């Protein structure tokens, strides 16, 4: 049991700022009750037979009650210095207060002198980050004085470890989002053309990928969709992207054939496959040579209003028979023409058919600037959840 030394233990200003930043990065403060935390505080209250159990997060000046099991409802925020958590932030380990009224460090707190008249408190620190910053507590309170036996304290600490891991899961998702953001294609400047795109995962990780890069006067453009969603699809998409970037200047037929050979076995073992459109644009002439491996979700809009959908006659990567050549194609991107290449999540924005491509085309003609157009697509996805990863790429010749 650790005893505090001062009733003002909220920490130095730099420490408080660091703590508040970490709490914000966890992205759980404003998300309301979550069962993964409610389960922990519910078990804690039942296991110890106390009047209340709480999972608290400490910001710079305010304590947020993330989860509480108590007849008396607190918060959701309380001034940090008015709490046991705030006054024990400098303690390295568990804090047990057998009788708060008899302890000068806590006897003046509103929750002690007023309802619910807390006498007993026990709390274990919750730490996150590489430097294990204390961001809150898992704690017990009761209106009757009491203490904890060593085995009881060990159980409370185990529940605290559980809570830390749940908090870290949110931090890991943030870190993963950061990694995935780094896998997006870098902006390129192509005289006479505009290119942009977006990928919105259905969950944390997307099985879609889009990539573009320049080699000399050639623009290489890829959109791929791995079957499935979630972590496994995201890992396979990252594998495909790495294999793709290892061949930055190849002919589309050669690149996709090499991907068949390198990545196809991995997809097969995972009982998955990936559709892909991979093209190389000669920016001078506007000619694009491409291979479409089962993708078939490419809309070409002409400057005169005509449009066509490029369909695929090949099987996806991971399903294409070994030793069989891929079909290739070409198109001419004339001045004023636009390509819109999507994953199948875009079809779910409307009726799940290729008619949805024409809907996107109409949206582009109403808003023929890339960022405003993509913003409208995102807004449509918020109104009509596609239930799948969503990728949209636009290539326009001015």
């Amino acid at each position: 049991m650790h005893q505090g030394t001062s009733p003002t233990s909220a920490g130095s200003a730099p420490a408080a700022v660091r703590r508040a930043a970490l709490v914000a990065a966890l992205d759980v403060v404003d998300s309301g009750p979550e069962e993964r935390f409610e389960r922990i505080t519910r078990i804690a209250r039942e296991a110890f037979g106390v009047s209340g159990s709480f999972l608290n997060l400490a910001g710079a000046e305010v304590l947020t009650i993330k989860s509480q099991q108590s007849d008396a409802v607190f918060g959701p925020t309380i001034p940090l210095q008015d709490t046991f958590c705030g006054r024990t932030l400098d303690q390295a380990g568990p804090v047990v207060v057998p009788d708060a009224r008899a302890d000068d460090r806590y006897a003046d707190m509103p929750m002690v002198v007023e309802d619910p008249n807390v006498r007993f408190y026990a709390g274990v620190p919750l730490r996150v980050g590489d430097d294990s910053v204390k961001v809150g507590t898992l704690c017990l309170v009761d209106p009757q004085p009491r203490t904890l036996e060593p085995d009881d304290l060990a159980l409370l600490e185990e529940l605290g470890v559980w809570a830390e891991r749940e908090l870290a899961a949110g931090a890991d998702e943030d870190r993963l989002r950061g990694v995935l953001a780094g896998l997006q294609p870098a902006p390129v400047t192509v005289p006479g053309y505009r290119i942009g795109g977006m990928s919105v995962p259905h969950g944390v990780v997307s099985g879609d990928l889009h990539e573009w890069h320049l080699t000399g006067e050639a623009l290489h453009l890829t959109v791929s969709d791995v079957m499935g969603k979630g972590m496994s699809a995201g890992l396979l998409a990252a594998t495909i992207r790495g294999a793709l970037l290892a061949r930055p200047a190849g002919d589309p037929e050669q690149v996709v054939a090499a991907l068949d050979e390198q990545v196809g076995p991995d997809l097969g073992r995972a009982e998955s496959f990936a559709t892909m459109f991979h093209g190389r644009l000669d920016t001078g002439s506007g000619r694009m040579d491409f291979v479409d491996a089962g993708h078939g979700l490419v809309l070409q809009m002409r400057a005169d209003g005509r449009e066509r959908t490029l369909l695929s006659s090949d099987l996806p990567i991971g399903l294409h028979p070994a030793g069989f050549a891929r079909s290739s194609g070409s198109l001419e991107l004339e001045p004023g023409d636009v390509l819109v290449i999507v994953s199948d999540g875009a079809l779910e924005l409307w009726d799940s058919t290729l008619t949805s491509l024409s809907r996107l085309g109409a949206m582009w003609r109403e808003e023929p600037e890339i960022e405003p157009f993509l913003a409208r697509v995102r807004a449509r996805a918020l109104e009509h959840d596609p239930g799948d990863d969503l990728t949209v790429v636009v290539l326009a010749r001015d």
Side-chain angles (χ1 to χ4, degrees), residues 290 298-302 306-310 330-332:
F290 64 86
V298 182
L299 178 70
Q300 182 176 11
M301 293 181 287
R302 299 289 192 181
R306 292 178 297 142
E307 63 181 44
R308 65 166 179 156
T309 301
L310 279 64
S330 65
L331 61 87
E332 299 293 331

Side-chain angles (χ1 to χ4, degrees), residues 58 60 75 81 176 200 204 221 226 251 257 298 308 328 348 390:
Q81 284 300 325
L176 183 55
V200 180
V204 177
L221 173 60
V226 176
D251 175 88
V298 182
R308 65 166 179 156
S328 60
E348 305 301 327
L390 169 65

Side-chain angles (χ1 to χ4, degrees), residues 304-320:
D304 61 8
R306 292 178 297 142
E307 63 181 44
R308 65 166 179 156
T309 301
L310 279 64
L311 302 178
S312 175
S313 59
D314 273 0
L315 291 174
I317 297 170
L319 297 180
H320 192 77

Side-chain angles (χ1 to χ4, degrees), residues 335-383:
D337 286 1
V338 179
L339 284 184
V340 178
I341 312 169
V342 303
S343 66
D344 57 7
L347 304 185
E348 305 301 327
L349 294 175
W350 284 279
D351 62 1
S352 305
T353 72
L354 288 176
T355 303
S356 298
L357 282 178
S358 292
R359 294 284 195 95
L360 280 173
M363 188 180 288
W364 168 264
R365 294 185 191 282
E366 294 171 1
E367 191 71 71
E369 296 293 335
I370 290 179
E371 289 307 319
F373 167 70
L374 295 178
R376 290 189 63 183
V377 176
R378 289 189 185 94
R380 174 66 185 177
L382 289 174
E383 297 170 358

Side-chain angles (χ1 to χ4, degrees), residues 7-8 81-84 87 100-114:
T8 56
Q81 284 300 325
D82 288 344
T83 66
F84 288 95
R87 296 191 182 190
R101 288 187 187 174
D103 194 318
D104 291 341
R105 296 166 299 169
Y106 313 107
D108 66 325
M109 290 197 306
M111 67 181 62
V112 174
V113 299
E114 302 169 6

Side-chain angles (χ1 to χ4, degrees), residues 154-277:
L155 173 58
L156 185 58
E157 289 182 298
E158 287 297 323
L159 290 170
V161 171
W162 182 2
E164 286 178 338
R165 289 176 179 171
E166 292 291 353
L167 289 170
D172 287 343
E173 288 187 2
D174 286 341
R175 190 176 298 113
L176 183 55
R177 289 188 183 99
V179 170
L180 292 174
L183 296 180
Q184 301 301 308
V188 294
T189 299
V190 187
Y193 296 85
R194 291 172 289 148
I195 185 169
M198 68 173 197
S199 187
V200 180
H202 179 60
V204 177
V205 183
S206 176
D208 293 352
L209 72 92
H210 62 289
E211 173 60 36
W212 55 70
H213 61 271
L214 288 167
T215 58
E217 293 187 356
L219 174 68
H220 305 261
L221 173 60
T222 310
V223 173
S224 181
D225 184 352
V226 176
M227 184 196 74
K229 298 182 284 291
M231 187 67 71
S232 59
L235 289 172
L236 290 169
T239 300
I240 292 171
R241 185 177 187 275
L244 184 69
L245 293 180
R247 301 164 175 86
D251 175 88
E253 287 185 70
Q254 297 172 339
V255 169
V256 176
L259 292 177
D260 274 325
E261 183 177 353
Q262 179 179 343
V263 183
D266 292 334
L267 291 164
R269 285 189 290 270
E271 299 183 343
S272 185
F273 60 83
T275 66
M276 176 180 288
F277 176 89

